[in-house]
Amino acid sequence: GLFPLDASAGSEPASPPPLVKQLEQAGVAARSLNGESAYLADQVGLALDQGAVPVVDFSRSADRVTRLEQLLGHLQTRKMALLRAAGGVGPKERGLLKLTDSHQLVLSDRGISVINLRSDYQLLEQGAVLDDDERDLLRLVKRLQDACPSLSTSITSPLNLLSELFSVKGAGTLVKTGSTIARLESCAEFDLPRVEQLLERTFSRKLRSDFWHRPLLHVYIERDYRGAAVVQPGPSAYPDIAFLTKFAVERAAQGEGMGRDLWEAVTRDYPSMYWRSRVDNPVLPWYQAQCEGMQREVGPQGAEWQIFWRGVSTDRLSTVISDALNRPVDFEPQLPSEAQT
């Protein structure tokens, strides 16, 4: 009863009592709950503790969205799935959806793959890509996620629910709030010890004392210091090409899509960029998916590096690769153990 009528399905949704009965006939314990109950969140938690699926009836609520918003907040919900017969929102075709000359979204045969509310919402809300029902649905999701910042929402069809919940690629449209990324130009503009702690914890190494004395273009930092990227000037012969020396995201934040938000912030400013990684780095496959080319080389001190680039023309590659190989290392050989510190 959250929606009076599911226009995409063309009929009224099943009311909670029949749904509960159907679940019980399938051998699934279920419990019908009144969406107007003053103790709704407690009742939902109790049903789950007792191994029953809580089915909440919002049909008698005057302001259903507010009641749902309150429930999500009390439960501290991190993932919500909205089911509709049409599945995800947007065009159902593979390719790229061009919102502006520099802003594109990935499409699948089930709709727009990912919507970032911070960067995509205004363009989608004002454009003609979504129909009226989809635009209203996106407004609803934004309202709920503004009230519950840790919430992400999947919009999919009932038939694709399992794939959406239990596969990496998903099977609908994932709507995420997006991360707040600051672009800073000097060490004086951010909390240097917090960034150092993030980098050292991520790479399990201690930064060299001269790291922050090297030339710097920008440092990108997530609002809560859970992710950071450090960009330095590239070869002097090609000032339009930047070197990404550090890219770090806390493990807990990786599942929120912060890495993608951080990456998009950097590549939006620096379409021509190169970077390097140790060949045993566990994120190597992710880097391979982001680059346009790569080459494995051995550096002057015997270290084996994988060099990556994007937006770099062929005639500049030898200079870029040589520069990446000859840059000084960023970390000491080993982070001191807890016993030593």
Side-chain angles (χ1 to χ4, degrees), residues 83-97:
L83 306 183
R84 64 185 202 130
V89 301
K92 308 296 193 292
E93 57 189 47
R94 295 181 181 274
L96 294 175
L97 175 63

Side-chain angles (χ1 to χ4, degrees), residues 80-326:
M80 176 175 65
L82 293 179
L83 306 183
R84 64 185 202 130
V89 301
K92 308 296 193 292
E93 57 189 47
R94 295 181 181 274
L96 294 175
L97 175 63
K98 188 174 182 180
L99 299 181
T100 69
D101 289 340
S102 60
H103 199 125
Q104 298 177 328
L105 300 180
V106 177
L107 291 174
S108 74
D109 52 9
R110 292 164 177 168
I112 299 172
S113 296
V114 180
I115 294 175
N116 185 320
L117 292 177
R118 292 193 188 277
S119 58
D120 307 332
Y121 175 77
Q122 187 172 6
L123 293 172
L124 290 171
E125 203 274 337
Q126 296 176 352
V129 171
L130 306 181
D131 60 33
D132 290 341
D133 289 335
E134 291 176 334
R135 198 175 290 109
D136 287 342
L137 187 59
L138 190 59
R139 291 189 187 113
L140 166 67
V141 172
K142 185 177 187 302
R143 172 179 167 178
L144 295 173
Q145 293 190 196
D146 283 347
C148 307
S150 62
L151 178 69
S152 64
T153 303
S154 296
I155 304 174
T156 188
S157 73
L159 295 178
N160 292 326
L161 178 59
L162 291 180
S163 296
E164 178 64 29
L165 293 178
F166 300 114
S167 67
V168 176
K169 294 182 65 176
T173 298
L174 174 65
V175 183
K176 61 181 184 177
T177 301
S179 308
T180 301
I181 308 294
R183 187 185 74 170
L184 307 170
E185 296 184 354
S186 73
C187 297
E189 298 180 65
F190 57 87
D191 189 333
L192 185 60
R194 290 185 71 180
V195 174
E196 285 190 343
Q197 184 181 42
L198 170 66
L199 296 177
E200 292 178 351
R201 185 168 58 244
T202 301
F203 291 91
S204 298
R205 293 289 187 272
K206 184 173 179 59
L207 277 172
R208 293 177 61 95
S209 59
D210 64 344
F211 179 79
W212 296 110
H213 296 291
R214 301 170 191 173
L216 184 68
L217 287 177
H218 286 106
V219 177
Y220 295 79
I221 304 176
E222 189 269 337
R223 175 178 55 189
D224 297 320
Y225 285 78
R226 298 186 299 162
V230 181
V231 183
Q232 297 175 339
S236 57
Y238 305 119
D240 58 319
I241 304 178
F243 178 70
L244 176 65
T245 185
K246 284 293 158 282
F247 188 87
V249 178
E250 281 190 353
R251 183 175 298 275
Q254 293 172 9
E256 301 174 14
M258 184 194 298
R260 170 56 57 185
D261 294 341
L262 184 62
W263 184 260
E264 289 177 352
V266 175
T267 55
R268 192 180 303 121
D269 294 339
Y270 295 103
S272 298
M273 186 177 70
Y274 63 108
W275 65 101
R276 68 184 184 183
S277 176
R278 301 277 186 179
V279 295
D280 57 352
N281 191 330
V283 301
L284 212 63
W286 191 84
Y287 282 150
Q288 291 171 349
Q290 313 309 316
C291 73
E292 295 176 356
M294 56 185 174
Q295 184 165 315
R296 183 171 293 192
E297 294 281 352
V298 177
Q301 298 179 352
E304 195 171 4
W305 296 99
Q306 190 85 349
I307 313 298
F308 301 94
W309 62 85
R310 53 185 290 149
V312 179
S313 58
T314 305
D315 60 307
R316 299 180 173 188
L317 285 180
S318 61
T319 301
V320 161
I321 293 172
S322 175
D323 180 81
L325 286 175
N326 288 282

